Amino acid sequence: MLAHQTKAHYVPLDSVRGLAALCVVVHHFVGSDPLAAALPHRAWIDVAFFHNSWLFVDLFFVLSGIVISMSYVQSEFSEFDFRTFTLRRIARIYPLHIVMLFAFLAFRLMRLSLTEMGLLHFSTNESADLQVNNVYSFVANVFLLHAMGVLDYLSWNGPSWSISAEFYTYIVFAGVVVMAQRLGYIRLVYVLSAVLAVLGAALIIFVLKNETLDFQTNGFTRCFLGFFIGVLTLRFVTGRGRAVSPLVQSVCQIGLAAVAVVLVCVVGFDERLSFVAPIVFAALLGSLMAFPERLLPKLLSVRPLVWLGKRSYSIYMVHALVLVLIQYFARGVGPARLQVVDNLLPGLAASLLLAFFVVAVLALSNFTYLRVEMPGSRFVLRLFSRRAVPSVAAAE
């Protein structure tokens, strides 16, 4: 966080990211086929909003565009250095990514060993799982290439596809900034960002022929669309909002939040609506930055949400492994025993398991944030820096 910026411009955005990450966690639970087969009834919050919360990945992309351009265009444009920027990005995302990738490898090797000993039996789903989690996909994951068109399926730590998409979008962004810097024309960043956002949409619609943003293969195109809309959002809201009355500011923020929630709820009826989402998310996030003194940004700055926001990357990266373990637990317990719990109250078993899942994800993400994410970032910076580079936490 840059010292000369007020916290209102940053903390609410972090909290939004934390809440969105938590929604993605619940989304993967309620959308799990193995859990649906094992549980007698759905969880009490198994509703359309969470089934459609895959859309919050696009909020992550917009948020990244805002935060990255805030740090490297608004504040450090003249001092921007491609190597330092790339190092910071690697330090930020790679340590946790590689740890979780090897955690999945260890889990699958253990499962193979137990199968060889006759203690486990493969189902059809597990055989398919082995086919996609192979050496080729592992190497692609190591080099963060798995959302760049080299794979047409999710593999290993599935949610990390979006990290792959973001990393190479960062590289393109850095090239844009370097070009604008050498020409001495900062507005070129925004001109090229508009071109790249349009390019992302064109590739999705006309080349990939997707009618929804719910895709991961060639996910870098989806990231282009959201990320560069985020860059443009920061440019649009900078210095604005002071002449708008407090009532209008509050109505704007709450109204946009309501529109975002409604959009997520209804996108399942027609997934073409998902193309509106990056713009709606950008407007909401922009309003939080333009009107930092209103009630919504202050609510988003309360301590529990700040805690959640700081751990949002860990939450996102660890939850798939916890979900796999929860699925094995539910299968081991069996539908008959789960039905006994559900006889007390329909949906109780699923709701309790969901609550346990969320708590386990939060506990593990707190551990990885403190023991992997932050120290790993510092280690990478020390390892590769020839000169002092500010900490990765400051870089964001």
Side-chain angles (χ1 to χ4, degrees):
M1 189 177 297
L2 301 174
H4 68 278
Q5 296 281 359
T6 62
K7 287 187 177 182
H9 285 285
Y10 292 86
V11 174
L13 300 188
D14 289 340
S15 297
V16 168
R17 181 164 47 194
L19 289 170
L22 204 55
C23 288
V24 172
V25 169
V26 178
H27 161 72
H28 284 130
F29 182 95
V30 300
S32 167
D33 290 334
L35 288 177
L39 294 165
H41 294 90
R42 299 188 307 172
W44 298 326
I45 62 171
D46 188 344
V47 294
F49 177 83
F50 290 113
H51 276 279
N52 299 332
S53 286
W54 54 265
L55 201 55
F56 284 120
V57 173
D58 298 286
L59 183 145
F60 296 148
F61 294 151
V62 174
L63 241 172
S64 290
I66 291 172
V67 172
I68 294 296
S69 58
M70 192 181 296
S71 294
Y72 294 100
V73 178
Q74 276 199 345
S75 303
E76 298 182 12
F77 178 72
S78 59
E79 292 83 24
F80 184 86
D81 176 72
F82 186 94
R83 178 185 177 277
T84 300
F85 172 82
T86 304
L87 178 59
R88 285 175 169 175
R89 295 301 92 210
I90 292 172
R92 178 70 180 90
I93 67 176
Y94 200 78
L96 183 56
H97 164 66
I98 202 69
V99 165
M100 292 311 302
L101 180 59
F102 276 90
F104 267 94
L105 176 63
F107 170 78
R108 290 193 165 96
L109 289 175
M110 180 184 69
R111 191 175 66 183
L112 283 172
S113 299
L114 292 174
T115 302
E116 289 293 324
M117 291 186 291
L119 300 176
L120 280 180
H121 299 283
F122 276 147
S123 67
T124 303
N125 288 337
E126 288 165 334
S127 298
D129 181 71
L130 282 176
Q131 291 176 5
V132 299
N133 296 309
N134 50 48
V135 174
Y136 176 71
S137 63
F138 187 85
V139 173
N141 274 260
V142 167
F143 292 100
L144 289 168
L145 292 168
H146 45 304
M148 301 301 292
V150 301
L151 299 175
D152 59 0
Y153 49 82
L154 289 178
S155 60
W156 300 99
N157 189 12
S160 71
W161 73 267
S162 65
I163 308 305
S164 163
E166 281 203 38
F167 178 73
Y168 289 101
T169 302
Y170 294 151
I171 301 302
V172 173
F173 170 80
V176 167
V177 176
V178 168
M179 185 184 303
Q181 184 188 61
R182 290 183 179 177
L183 293 174
Y185 188 54
I186 192 171
R187 290 186 179 179
L188 184 61
V189 173
Y190 304 108
V191 172
L192 293 178
S193 292
V195 171
L196 289 166
V198 171
L199 176 63
L203 287 172
I204 292 168
I205 297 170
F206 299 112
V207 178
L208 301 178
K209 299 187 184 305
N210 286 329
E211 295 185 351
T212 173
L213 289 182
D214 187 14
F215 68 94
Q216 297 83 38
T217 303
N218 293 304
F220 72 95
T221 57
R222 183 176 170 185
C223 186
F224 263 39
L225 176 60
F227 183 93
F228 289 107
I229 285 177
V231 175
L232 294 171
T233 300
L234 184 65
R235 176 68 181 90
F236 181 78
V237 302
T238 300
R240 300 177 189 270
R242 296 176 183 175
V244 181
S245 72
L247 177 60
V248 172
Q249 292 178 9
S250 295
V251 169
C252 178
Q253 288 180 343
I254 295 171
L256 286 168
V259 169
V261 170
V262 170
L263 177 61
V264 174
C265 289
V266 303
V267 73
F269 294 108
D270 187 347
E271 291 194 348
R272 288 175 295 184
L273 289 171
S274 61
F275 286 100
V276 180
I279 298 172
V280 172
F281 292 148
L284 172 59
L285 297 172
S287 73
L288 295 178
M289 292 185 294
F291 315 133
E293 299 302 321
R294 303 281 64 83
L295 177 62
L296 189 55
K298 289 181 179 179
L299 288 176
L300 290 168
S301 300
V302 298
R303 185 172 296 179
L305 293 184
V306 173
W307 184 94
L308 192 70
K310 287 181 178 179
R311 289 151 182 82
S312 57
Y313 179 51
S314 278
I315 291 170
Y316 184 74
M317 291 295 286
V318 307
H319 80 273
L321 181 58
V322 180
L323 181 60
V324 169
L325 297 175
I326 291 288
Q327 290 170 346
Y328 271 87
F329 171 79
R331 193 174 76 176
V333 171
R337 291 189 181 91
L338 293 171
Q339 181 66 62
V340 172
V341 178
D342 250 35
N343 288 338
L344 301 174
L345 200 62
L348 179 60
S351 298
L352 289 175
L353 197 60
L354 172 58
F356 178 78
F357 171 52
V358 170
V359 170
V361 168
L362 293 178
L364 180 57
S365 65
N366 184 58
F367 175 82
T368 56
Y369 172 76
L370 296 174
R371 301 300 181 185
V372 178
E373 190 178 335
M374 289 296 101
S377 296
R378 291 191 291 268
F379 172 77
V380 171
L381 290 173
R382 287 196 303 268
L383 185 64
F384 292 102
S385 289
R386 296 194 189 98
R387 57 183 183 275
V389 177
S391 72
V392 70
E396 277 203 330

